[in-house]
Amino acid sequence: MKCHPRGTRDVLTFFILFAFIPVTLCSLMQNAFDINYWRCVMKRTDQCPDMDIKIFLYSNGAQRKKLIDVRNKNALRYSGWDPSKRNVIIIHGFNGTESKTPMTIIRNAYLNRKDYNVFTVDWEPLTFFPCYLSSLSNTRLVAQCTAQFYAHLTHSGASAYDIHCVGHSLGAHICGMMSNHLTHRQHKIIGLDPARPLVDRYGSAEFRLTRDDATMVQVIHTNAGFLGEAPQVGHVDFCVNGGRLQPSCANEPRNIRRARCSHFLSACFFAASVSERGKRHRGVPCSSTCQPLSPAYTKDVRVSMGFHTPDNARGTFCIKMRNSKSCPFD
């Protein structure tokens, strides 16, 4: 593949922004699958709010949503926001949108509880296939603008303790990167199979999800080592069905589809823990590579995964989950 001159300049900009270690620019482009990079959108601004990053509030059912304009200090007051409820901010990943599955599955799980204000972040114009490199670069602005909204939410009376950030893939890293723009620490972040490509090799701690980004960082792994990062990202990590490839995805015809199917299942497994109030999905201690430990180390030790995970949980846990047949990933 030839390096396009304009594409090379854009990759160099990305290289500087993310403080990557030296590699060839052609190699970066090939590894990121950004074949038509010069058609991609790379934001070169740090101004928020941004018209390509939208935040919606869902209330009274999934059919009603309100666009939140943080420039209006009364935006939440007139949007249907209920200050007596807890709040969740849901962020999609690469080539996604807030209105597509599986993000809608998470959204609806919270709405069905009726005790949460559900906010979704949509940055679809800044992340589309095959523009992975530019999407990575754009996560910085998305994190900054979402942090601006987070501050707006707390200034309106919400407690940090009552705000959770739930992100899938690149969205998980955006949850973490919000901390770069906040004066107070987030309380809880739930990372759903945080994106691995390029991030694991070249991304500094400032531009990825780490356990330093919130008082409690939980990570659910379903495609570790492929599209998702390896364990030991958060305070507590859960490896579902071995954490790498999910059994229900085994019949997909190609490796990339098996990986994508497994990657998206993290969202559906988490949503199950939100919607099934009386049911607890519990894991047992395992190694940092998702390998089982001797029964002597796991006896009588069970930790709930997902919505019901205790804030003081620490370590890596393995959990068996039933195959999900209702988690589309296209």
Side-chain angles (χ1 to χ4, degrees), residues 86 110 116 150 160-161 163-166 175 185-190 213-218 306-311:
R86 290 179 286 181
Y110 273 101
Y116 271 83
Y150 183 102
Y161 182 84
I163 304 174
H164 302 164
C165 189
V166 178
C175 282
R185 199 179 198 190
Q186 295 183 72
H187 174 66
K188 182 178 290 186
I189 294 174
I190 300 170
D213 292 320
T215 302
M216 170 57 169
V217 176
Q218 175 187 170
F307 184 84
H308 301 287
T309 303
D311 285 352

Side-chain angles (χ1 to χ4, degrees), residues 1 3 7 11 25-34 37 133:
M1 183 186 74
C3 279
V11 174
L25 297 180
C26 280
S27 174
L28 270 177
M29 293 176 69
Q30 290 168 337
N31 288 340
F33 310 108
D34 246 343
Y37 189 81
L133 272 178

Side-chain angles (χ1 to χ4, degrees), residues 315-326:
T316 303
F317 297 84
C318 287
I319 182 171
K320 295 288 186 181
M321 296 283 287
R322 288 183 300 175
N323 294 347
S324 175
K325 297 181 180 179
S326 58

Side-chain angles (χ1 to χ4, degrees), residues 55 57 68 70 72-73 75-77 79 81-83 85-89 117-119 145-160 162-165 178 182:
I55 298 175
L57 168 63
I68 304 299
V70 296
N72 180 354
K73 65 179 182 180
L76 286 174
R77 178 182 176 185
S79 66
W81 177 64
D82 186 343
K85 294 181 179 180
R86 290 179 286 181
N87 307 276
V88 61
I89 301 171
N117 297 298
V118 180
F119 297 96
C145 293
T146 307
Q148 181 188 51
F149 164 72
Y150 183 102
H152 181 81
L153 189 57
T154 56
H155 290 159
S156 298
S159 165
D162 291 326
I163 304 174
H164 302 164
C165 189
M178 286 167 56
L182 297 173

Side-chain angles (χ1 to χ4, degrees), residues 249-274:
C249 301
N251 293 329
E252 291 294 335
R254 297 188 301 275
N255 287 340
I256 186 61
R257 287 188 62 84
R258 286 192 286 272
R260 290 185 65 229
C261 173
S262 299
H263 190 48
F264 277 83
L265 273 173
S266 60
C268 294
F269 288 144
F270 173 70
S273 75
V274 175

Side-chain angles (χ1 to χ4, degrees), residues 14 17-18 41-55 91 121-123 125-126 133-149 170 173-175 177-178 180-181 206-207:
F14 175 81
L17 289 175
F18 278 78
V41 177
M42 179 182 282
K43 286 287 184 174
R44 304 179 187 277
T45 177
D46 58 359
Q47 298 298 312
C48 293
D50 185 279
M51 63 180 297
D52 290 325
I53 303 167
K54 296 180 172 63
I55 298 175
I91 309 177
V121 179
D122 190 90
W123 57 295
L126 305 182
L133 272 178
S134 55
S135 297
L136 269 174
S137 178
N138 291 333
T139 58
R140 296 187 68 190
L141 182 63
V142 180
Q144 179 182 338
C145 293
T146 307
Q148 181 188 51
F149 164 72
L170 284 182
H173 293 301
I174 292 171
C175 282
M177 291 163 60
M178 286 167 56
N180 299 334
H181 307 281
E206 187 179 359
F207 301 114

Side-chain angles (χ1 to χ4, degrees), residues 1-12:
M1 183 186 74
K2 294 182 179 180
C3 279
H4 190 280
R6 181 180 171 187
T8 300
R9 290 197 300 271
D10 287 346
V11 174
L12 181 58

